[in-house]
Amino acid sequence: MRSWTVNPSNIEVAGLENHSLRIFDSKTQRINLIPKQPEPIQIYVCGITPYDSAHLGHAFTYLAFDLMIRAMRVTKQNVNYVQNVTDIDDPLFERSRKTNKKWTSIVDDQLEIYRKDMQALNIMAPDHFVGVVENIDTINDEIEKTIKRKLTYQLGTKWYFQTRKDNKSLLVKDVKDHELITLANERGCDTETPGKLNAIDPIVWKESKEDEPSWNREFGTGRPGWHIQCISLANKYAKLPLHIQGGGKDLIFPHHAMCEEQAIALGLGDLATNYCHVGMVSYQGSKMSKSKGNLVFVHELINKGISPMVIRTCLMLNHWQNDWEFQEVDIIKAEKLLEKINTNLTGKFFSRNEFDFILESMLNNIQTPKILEFLSQLDPDKNDERSVPTDTVLSALLGLDLESV
């Protein structure tokens, strides 16, 4: 699947290879070191379902991993970054019926907007930008393994993965069963299907409706469930266990917990050593949601003449783990801040101490609000053999291209 292009700057400073990223892990609930290694760090981030355009919540999520990757690459650590596209999903087919438009056309149109948005925001492109349809044989083969190994059970035309208490994901180890059922209900799972062994058992395979894509396999005619898709793609395009499995906080359960449980049951071992879950962005009093219609689309902000670098700055004013509510005044605040940074820093130099502060703040759990506050107070003019060009640092570490402001 075609991606987009972003060419980050390089920082040439002695000793960068001796630094490593430390990032908060949802599973252990602590900040963990991502150790340096000769091989690429493996990152898999759950991507969009392309039935509508990318909103600020999406942008905030992918910006978080953009910043992690920038920090690692600046410190000379290679990365293998995989991002999927869920181009088979119920909301997509529902949108197709509602608009009387082919689901494949919706996918193509929305992905084109998404690529343009990500490139405009200077979001690092994945090394592998992969869809379900183009990898359907790999996914269906994995489903066949779950059935042959008796990890699933059949109810009518659906196959369910059988969850077990002795294989409960550590992401939800302290959450009571009735709370998981409530969460599953809120997030569209079929917890009340008669005959299910456990209300939260997820679908692995289901019969397709007449206007949906379907594939013929020994176990039925239909299409794959959600979680098995990401397991299969991660196993194909990355080396397991992943160093970072990422997405929004709303993916902790059921998606990432179910992915972890199925991967272990399939003999793949731990899916990831660290899970990074990005804060939710609200608007008008509730989390941005297509169902609620309270979305702020990236491309609409750009079409209004707002600089993508202003939007990027607006997002970076919030720590990647935190939930926050977007207000129009945030754009004005970001514009003023970026104008000040542009005026004071363009074409100048950071002292080595200033650079070290910025780098350490990035490597210690990506503290962009702290960095932006620090930058707003600087007006450097130093230029000696230990100085570092401001434009290069801002571009390489923060993805800020001041020339385009």
Side-chain angles (χ1 to χ4, degrees), residues 288-341:
M288 285 191 188
S289 165
K290 293 181 176 70
S291 61
K292 294 178 181 176
N294 63 333
L295 301 178
V296 180
F297 293 111
V298 173
H299 72 276
E300 290 183 353
L301 292 176
I302 294 173
N303 290 342
K304 289 178 181 178
I306 299 171
S307 165
M309 293 298 99
V310 169
I311 300 171
R312 186 179 175 99
T313 302
C314 175
L315 297 173
M316 288 195 295
L317 283 167
N318 303 276
H319 189 270
W320 70 273
Q321 287 178 253
N322 293 345
D323 298 337
W324 58 284
E325 181 164 2
F326 171 75
Q327 299 177 356
E328 281 74 9
V329 70
D330 295 337
I331 292 293
I332 298 173
K333 181 179 178 181
E335 284 177 335
K336 291 180 178 178
L337 173 60
L338 195 57
E339 181 180 358
K340 185 175 184 181
I341 290 173

Side-chain angles (χ1 to χ4, degrees), residues 365-380:
N365 203 31
I366 313 294
Q367 300 180 65
T368 54
K370 180 179 179 180
I371 295 170
L372 291 174
E373 173 65 22
F374 178 69
L375 293 175
S376 72
Q377 300 173 10
L378 288 183
D379 188 6

Side-chain angles (χ1 to χ4, degrees), residues 196-210:
K196 287 185 71 173
L197 301 180
N198 187 327
I200 64 170
D201 288 349
I203 291 175
V204 174
W205 179 264
K206 64 188 293 185
E207 183 181 38
S208 298
K209 295 179 179 178
E210 187 175 338

Side-chain angles (χ1 to χ4, degrees), residues 163-222:
T163 56
R164 302 196 322 264
K165 290 187 180 296
D166 63 351
N167 188 34
K168 187 175 182 180
S169 169
L170 294 178
L171 286 166
V172 292
K173 62 181 174 59
D174 296 325
V175 184
K176 297 184 183 302
D177 289 349
H178 73 273
E179 294 174 328
L180 292 179
I181 293 172
T182 299
L183 272 175
N185 272 325
E186 291 173 354
R187 292 168 182 174
C189 302
D190 61 340
T191 58
E192 298 178 356
T193 298
K196 287 185 71 173
L197 301 180
N198 187 327
I200 64 170
D201 288 349
I203 291 175
V204 174
W205 179 264
K206 64 188 293 185
E207 183 181 38
S208 298
K209 295 179 179 178
E210 187 175 338
D211 58 350
E212 297 173 354
S214 65
W215 289 266
N216 295 315
R217 298 291 293 225
E218 293 179 15
F219 43 86
T221 299

Side-chain angles (χ1 to χ4, degrees), residues 117-364:
D117 287 348
M118 294 298 104
Q119 184 155 354
L121 293 176
N122 212 20
I123 302 290
M124 296 290 293
D127 300 290
H128 303 283
F129 189 51
V130 295
V132 173
V133 174
E134 64 185 2
N135 290 283
I136 196 66
D137 289 340
T138 297
I139 296 166
N140 289 345
D141 287 347
E142 211 65 43
I143 292 171
E144 186 174 336
K145 290 178 187 176
T146 69
I147 293 172
K148 287 185 174 179
R149 296 178 185 180
K150 302 188 184 305
L151 304 173
T152 57
Y153 59 94
Q154 187 175 14
L155 289 177
T157 57
K158 295 178 180 177
W159 287 88
Y160 290 90
F161 172 75
Q162 184 175 353
T163 56
R164 302 196 322 264
K165 290 187 180 296
D166 63 351
N167 188 34
K168 187 175 182 180
S169 169
L170 294 178
L171 286 166
V172 292
K173 62 181 174 59
D174 296 325
V175 184
K176 297 184 183 302
D177 289 349
H178 73 273
E179 294 174 328
L180 292 179
I181 293 172
T182 299
L183 272 175
N185 272 325
E186 291 173 354
R187 292 168 182 174
C189 302
D190 61 340
T191 58
E192 298 178 356
T193 298
K196 287 185 71 173
L197 301 180
N198 187 327
I200 64 170
D201 288 349
I203 291 175
V204 174
W205 179 264
K206 64 188 293 185
E207 183 181 38
S208 298
K209 295 179 179 178
E210 187 175 338
D211 58 350
E212 297 173 354
S214 65
W215 289 266
N216 295 315
R217 298 291 293 225
E218 293 179 15
F219 43 86
T221 299
R223 56 185 176 90
W226 182 21
H227 316 305
I228 195 70
Q229 297 173 15
C230 281
I231 297 168
S232 305
L233 295 174
N235 192 37
K236 179 176 180 178
Y237 291 99
K239 183 179 179 181
L240 302 185
L242 303 164
H243 296 93
I244 295 174
Q245 161 74 306
K249 281 184 183 177
D250 55 346
L251 295 186
I252 294 175
F253 184 85
H255 187 45
H256 286 170
M258 292 293 102
C259 284
E260 182 176 52
E261 290 184 21
Q262 289 182 54
I264 291 172
L266 279 165
L268 298 175
D270 289 332
L271 184 62
T273 53
N274 296 278
Y275 286 84
C276 297
H277 293 108
V278 182
M280 298 286 97
V281 182
S282 298
Y283 183 56
Q284 298 174 337
S286 58
K287 182 179 85 73
M288 285 191 188
S289 165
K290 293 181 176 70
S291 61
K292 294 178 181 176
N294 63 333
L295 301 178
V296 180
F297 293 111
V298 173
H299 72 276
E300 290 183 353
L301 292 176
I302 294 173
N303 290 342
K304 289 178 181 178
I306 299 171
S307 165
M309 293 298 99
V310 169
I311 300 171
R312 186 179 175 99
T313 302
C314 175
L315 297 173
M316 288 195 295
L317 283 167
N318 303 276
H319 189 270
W320 70 273
Q321 287 178 253
N322 293 345
D323 298 337
W324 58 284
E325 181 164 2
F326 171 75
Q327 299 177 356
E328 281 74 9
V329 70
D330 295 337
I331 292 293
I332 298 173
K333 181 179 178 181
E335 284 177 335
K336 291 180 178 178
L337 173 60
L338 195 57
E339 181 180 358
K340 185 175 184 181
I341 290 173
N342 195 20
T343 300
N344 292 347
L345 300 184
T346 299
K348 296 186 179 180
F349 296 83
F350 291 122
S351 70
R352 184 58 192 264
N353 286 340
E354 290 165 345
F355 170 72
D356 286 346
F357 177 88
I358 295 168
L359 178 63
E360 176 57 25
S361 298
M362 280 290 285
L363 293 175
N364 186 21

